[in-house]
Structures are given as C-alpha cells and as structure tokens.
Amino acid sequence: MSIDDRAGPEVPPTPGDDHAEACVAARNVGKRFGSVVAIENATFTIPNRHFTAVLGPSGCGKSTLLRLIAGLVPHEGELDVKGQPVSGPRPDVGLMFQHPTLLPWRSALENVLLPTVIRGRVTDRDREQAMQYLSLVGLEGFEFSYPRQLSGGMQQRTSLARLLMTGAQVLLLDEPFGALDEFTRERLNLELVRIHEEIEATTLFVTHNITEAVFLADEILVMTPRPGRLAGVVQVPFERPRGIELQRTTAFTDIVFDVREMLGAAL
Amino acid sequence: MTGAQLDESTTVLAPAAGSSWPARIGLQVGALVVVVGLWALAADRGWVSERILPPPLDVWRSFWNLLTDGILFDHLGVTLWEVFAGFVLGSAGGFLIAVAGSLWVPFRRVIYPYMVALQVTPRVAIAPLLFIWLGFGAFPKIVLAATICFFPVMINTLTGLTIVDEESDELFRSLGATRRQRFFRLALPGAMPVIFAGLKTAISLALIGAIVGEFVSAQEGLGLLIQRFSFQLNSSAAYAVLLTLTAIGLALYGLMELIDRWVVFWNRDERLAKRSERAAARNARAKAAVARPQRISDQ
C-alpha cells in the first residue's frame, strides 16, 4: 500500500539526501515549572527523516521535551522545527501518547478522522484515506468498531492511524506502546519503523528501554534527571531494515553498554 | 479513554449480575407475591390495626374507585405537570450555570459558595415562604421542585465538564482545535454519563419537591389527596395514592434511564455492537452501490 497524496517532498530521497538538514534544532532549551527545573540547557539537532529516540529514566523531562517541540508548553531558549521557531501547536507536528486517548463515542474510523473534523469538512477522499491508514496499521475490518470493543493494542494502532491522518511530517511519540505487553510492543515497534520509512517523516520516540532505543533509532538523545539534562547523543549506525538478530551482535551490545554508561555516569 | 467512567454503578435499578432475565423477573415477582401475601395475612389475622395497614384488597378497591371516578387522573395530571416543569426548569438552570462556570473560572469561584449554601439549606423549609412570594397555584410547587433539582444537575455537570482527560485535551490542542471544538467535541460528550447520573437523581427529587409543595398548600395534586385521606383516616385510599406515587417515581426514573441508554450509548456493550454493525452494513451497501454501475459499463 502506498500513501502517495501526503504533503511532503515529491522526489523519493536518496540515502544521505537532505538528511543533514535539521528538522528540529534546539539551543539552550529549558523549561521551569515554578521553581522546579524540568529541562536545563538542552542543545541538539535532529536531521530530517531520522528516527530519533529520547531515552532516560522517569523524571528526566523526556515527555516535557516532546511537549515543548509540539508547542503545547512555552519554552526558554531557541527551538526551531523545520526552520520555524516553535510558538504553538502546528499542523506539521503530530503527537501520540502512551494512552490511546480515543473518544469512546466515536468509532475507530471516526477517531482517525478527528484531525480532519477539527480542521474542517470531511470529504469522501478523507474517509478513504482514513480507511487506508487503518489498514496500514493492521485494522482492516475494525473501522466501525468502538474503542471499548478493541483491545489495548488495537486502540493504540487506531491512535497511530489518527497521528498519520494529521499529515504531520514530524511525529512525536511519547512511550506510545509503553502500556502494552512486551510481545505486542515489539510487534508494534517494528510496524512503526516500517511506517516511518514509508511516509518519510521525522520521528521522535520517547522510551525508557535502552535495547528498544538502540534497536529502533538512528540516534539517541540520552537524558538524565533532576534537573532534566541532555547527557549526550549516541549515534546508531546500523543499516535498515534491521532484523531482530541484530540484537545478538557485539556491535549492538556495545552501543547498549555505551548508553548505559552514559546514563550511569550522570546518575 | 476520556471522560468520566461513571456508568452502570450509578444505576439504582442495576440488575444482579450473572442471572438470565427470566430468572431475575421470576425472583422479583416472587418476592412481591411473598410480601403482599404476608401483608394480607397480617391484615386478615388482625396482627396490625387496619388503620395502620389496610388489607391489600381494600387498597386495590380504593385505587379502582379513585381511578374510575377520574379523581386520580385529575390530581395525577397536576402533580405530573409540577414535576415535569420543575425538573426542566431546575435541570436547565443547573446545566447552564455549570457550563458557564466550567468555561469561566472567576464566575465559578464567585457562585460556588452560594450554590453550596443553597444546597445545605433544606429547600423544604422555603416552601411556606414560596407561597407568600408566589401565591397558591402550581407555580410555587414548580419552583420548589426546581430548586431541589438544580443542585445535583449543576454539581454533576460542573464535575463532568472540568475533569477532562489532560492528554485528550493536549491532543485537541495539538490538532489546532478551537475552544468551541474542545467544548462540544470533547468536554461535553465526556461529561454526559455524569450529567445523566445527576438528571436521574434530579427527577426523583422533583417528585419530592412537588409533593411537599402540595402538602404545604394546594387545591389539587396527589400530595393534597394523600394528606386529605390521611386526615380522614381513610388509610386504604392514602395507600392507593402512595403506591401510585411509587409507580410514577419508577416510571420517571425508567424514562431517564432509557434516555441515558440512548444518549450515552458508548457505555453499553449491546448498544455499541448494534451501532457498529449498522455502520458496517451501511458502508457495505454504499460500496455495492458504487460497484454496480461499473460492472455494467465493463460488459
């Protein structure tokens, strides 16, 4: 299945194309809630179309960082997305949470159509597009089911389809499958990587699982808590597509240990 | 999922889980037969005075007479009108003030203590004053019913509208939703189950308000009727009116329950199943309608 009418570059990218171009650029970005420092002096850039993991223990400000980029919370410092300073929510940035946040009175299809409903009228084309996204996330045949009738994993798939429906080129995912069992999480992670490659979006993926971060991401922003700080950025140079056997290689475990050390040194 | 998940647990008439409905109805009717049987026995053996507990058959006869005379219907109509008007007035007022309070925090802060003061004042105590202010027709009874209905609807609506799930609200904001969209597409539907819990409480309270109003002063209504029969020591007729009131209470509550099931369909599995099946069938029909002309042109 191809998603051809998505807003985005018309020419498929050749490897290394505009990857060097920054999608998210942060300079001395910080956030205070009253006297509590949630994030201190984070400086980093995320190249276009990269899959970036934001890794750290709870309380390190990963979710806050995502909300700053989404423009839901005002920030200190300089923060640009696609060359534009962040000043509020914007249509090219989409958000997905640990909980499905589906509206229980809307069917799966109606939930996926929510971004369209909020932006204006729903056309037949939008409905067709929503159906396509639902089958892309493996929910063909469940379009008319209500959230209460779906399992946790299926609800999260619906939530992912809704994120795709926004047409956003920057996808912010806050531990999207964290509440699911490990088998479902692993499968959905792989599907997410496949979708990320297919729609050519830039993806930021918050997680507290080191192996997951190394396996999925092109680079990892490692964060440490109290106050939330960026401890460093770890590059993950493995080719894609990546198979599960990658996790057995010493190159993989080396990176896992590097990340663990980086976390340990700062803790 | 969003919003409040108060649902069947707020239903007083919730059926016992795990039993099929014929068995349940059988048990419930059986219990009624036992109670009425004991009642008849007690009256027959003279265990209690007839004044206190008239025999069931006498109550039935009084009921039948009141019904065939047309007396019951006349008074019933008056009381029902007071209940209905009081409920609509009180609920609408409670709902609107809660909506205003949920949208505008300073307003909420100002009115809240007054609302609580109104709630802790026994409204029944203002009944005599209402007649000084508003005279003797149906209107003071409607106002009394409305003031009693007001609070549960207001507090439930306000609670429902202000406990919006934070992540859902963030989602709406990230999608660029306006305040209006956030209210109508997220807060209000999410509050519906809690609002209906308030409405169900209010409808029973409206009946109390109307009857108490009639006790204080009335020319007609079931409250007046029950009072008159009691003064006449006609306890079988008083019982007949009392049981009529029970039937009205049940009917009103059942009606609200029905509307609740229809509006808040997403908390009922069987309603959801029906809706999703219907939507899927509609979709299949639409697809077939599109496919047919193509097939003809293919040939």
Side-chain angles (χ1 to χ4, degrees):
Chain A
M1 209 203 98
S2 76
I3 309 299
D4 46 15
D5 45 10
R6 225 186 134 79
E10 274 128 54
V11 191
T14 47
D17 190 11
D18 61 344
H19 275 198
E21 224 175 274
C23 173
V24 180
R27 280 192 58 194
N28 298 326
V29 165
K31 180 69 201 172
R32 245 180 283 269
F33 292 107
S35 60
V36 180
V37 180
I39 297 175
E40 198 177 60
N41 278 339
T43 300
F44 61 90
T45 55
I46 295 167
N48 267 318
R49 288 184 219 140
H50 268 212
F51 194 114
T52 304
V54 183
L55 177 73
S58 19
C60 70
K62 335 184 266 293
S63 296
T64 305
L65 181 65
L66 227 57
R67 280 164 177 76
L68 294 184
I69 298 171
L72 288 172
V73 187
H75 60 268
E76 297 151 25
E78 284 172 48
L79 181 58
D80 293 355
V81 173
K82 300 237 166 220
Q84 300 275 327
V86 174
S87 59
R90 39 197 276 184
D92 58 345
V93 178
L95 198 58
M96 177 174 170
F97 306 95
Q98 182 174 356
H99 302 289
T101 58
L102 300 176
L103 303 177
W105 51 88
R106 296 177 78 94
S107 66
L109 179 66
E110 289 168 332
N111 265 294
V112 174
L113 281 167
L114 186 70
T116 323
V117 169
I118 283 173
R119 279 167 203 173
R121 282 196 160 281
V122 175
T123 62
D124 282 350
R125 233 178 91 95
D126 295 322
R127 282 175 65 88
E128 219 160 275
Q129 173 95 78
M131 295 279 230
Q132 278 183 16
Y133 282 132
L134 275 167
S135 63
L136 181 69
V137 298
L139 280 181
E140 213 169 342
F142 291 95
E143 295 88 348
F144 302 102
S145 299
Y146 286 83
R148 200 178 149 116
Q149 299 172 306
L150 300 173
S151 68
M154 289 161 111
Q155 290 184 16
Q156 229 17 337
R157 286 165 188 266
T158 311
S159 178
L160 179 58
R162 180 181 61 196
L163 172 65
L164 300 177
M165 194 67 194
T166 62
Q169 287 163 278
V170 184
L171 310 182
L172 308 175
L173 302 107
D174 191 359
E175 297 186 43
F177 312 125
L180 304 176
D181 65 86
E182 197 169 337
F183 307 104
T184 313
R185 186 167 70 230
E186 200 158 271
R187 203 170 59 230
L188 284 176
N189 278 340
L190 291 173
E191 284 180 35
L192 178 66
V193 171
R194 177 174 61 82
I195 290 166
H196 160 82
E197 281 161 15
E198 193 165 327
I199 67 174
E200 295 163 2
T202 308
T203 304
L204 256 89
F205 182 93
V206 166
T207 178
H208 49 236
N209 184 319
I210 301 176
T211 319
E212 188 177 81
V214 177
F215 184 62
L216 298 175
D218 297 312
E219 71 265 294
I220 304 169
L221 304 183
V222 181
M223 295 186 73
T224 52
R226 282 174 293 274
R229 246 189 222 127
L230 186 60
V233 182
V234 176
Q235 299 296 325
V236 186
F238 304 120
E239 298 268 303
R240 290 180 189 277
R242 299 172 184 172
I244 203 85
E245 61 284 353
L246 174 70
Q247 299 194 10
R248 278 190 173 189
T249 61
T250 42
F252 186 88
T253 46
D254 282 351
I255 295 181
V256 170
F257 268 94
D258 286 350
V259 172
R260 185 162 285 152
E261 242 166 54
M262 193 179 271
L263 282 165
L267 283 174
Chain B
M1 250 170 277
T2 62
Q5 293 298 314
L6 278 177
D7 44 19
E8 284 82 354
S9 58
T10 56
T11 307
V12 178
L13 301 179
S19 56
S20 66
W21 72 266
R24 207 168 64 225
I25 300 281
L27 273 175
Q28 284 166 351
V29 171
L32 182 70
V33 169
V34 169
V35 169
V36 174
L38 279 174
W39 173 12
L41 194 70
D44 188 54
R45 295 287 164 90
W47 292 339
V48 268
S49 144
E50 250 181 54
R51 281 242 167 93
I52 298 170
L53 196 65
L57 213 59
D58 285 9
V59 174
W60 172 252
R61 267 191 221 111
S62 298
F63 176 74
W64 188 251
N65 288 338
L66 286 170
L67 200 68
T68 47
D69 289 351
I71 297 173
L72 197 61
F73 275 123
D74 292 345
H75 293 269
L76 180 72
V78 173
T79 302
L80 274 183
W81 162 244
E82 291 161 0
V83 170
F84 174 76
F87 172 72
V88 169
L89 211 67
S91 309
F95 177 80
L96 290 176
I97 286 191
V99 168
S102 83
L103 295 176
W104 195 34
V105 180
F107 180 68
R108 188 193 318 170
R109 295 219 176 103
V110 170
I111 60 156
Y112 202 77
Y114 296 99
M115 294 299 130
V116 175
L118 176 64
Q119 168 63 7
V120 296
T121 309
R123 253 67 45 78
V124 174
I126 64 167
L129 288 169
L130 278 173
F131 295 96
I132 299 177
W133 302 332
L134 302 168
F136 294 93
F139 192 51
K141 288 107 189 167
I142 292 172
V143 172
L144 185 61
T147 57
I148 301 183
C149 280
F150 175 85
F151 198 78
V153 178
M154 203 236 14
I155 200 72
N156 277 38
T157 307
L158 192 56
T159 308
L161 289 175
T162 45
I163 53 164
V164 175
D165 174 60
E166 205 178 320
E167 284 190 347
S168 298
D169 201 53
E170 283 186 334
L171 171 80
F172 269 69
R173 288 203 293 132
S174 80
L175 293 173
T178 60
R179 265 194 97 177
R180 199 192 158 87
Q181 285 173 322
R182 277 154 69 196
F183 179 78
F184 282 108
R185 297 209 176 269
L186 178 63
L188 187 60
M192 274 305 169
V194 195
I195 294 175
F196 265 98
L199 288 173
K200 281 190 239 173
T201 312
I203 194 87
S204 311
L205 291 178
L207 189 56
I208 295 180
I211 298 296
V212 169
E214 289 171 358
F215 279 174
V216 175
S217 155
Q219 276 88 48
E220 28 183 13
L222 293 179
L224 169 80
L225 217 53
I226 209 167
Q227 203 175 30
R228 185 189 290 163
F229 290 139
S230 302
F231 287 152
Q232 294 168 355
L233 299 181
N234 184 354
S235 38
S236 63
Y239 267 69
V241 179
L242 183 65
L243 291 176
T244 308
L245 284 171
T246 305
I248 294 171
L250 283 173
L252 290 174
Y253 189 89
L255 183 70
M256 288 312 298
E257 178 74 19
L258 222 65
I259 301 173
D260 183 13
R261 290 175 73 83
W262 182 68
V263 175
V264 191
F265 64 88
W266 59 90
N267 274 345
R268 271 88 184 179
D269 287 330
E270 73 288 353
R271 293 263 296 124
L272 277 185
K274 252 182 219 154
R275 275 180 79 102
S276 54
E277 272 164 33
R278 269 208 304 270
R282 250 200 322 274
N283 182 59
R285 271 202 305 280
K287 252 188 197 163
V290 174
R292 218 168 290 129
Q294 272 177 349
R295 232 172 275 145
I296 293 164
S297 64
D298 280 352
Q299 287 170 350

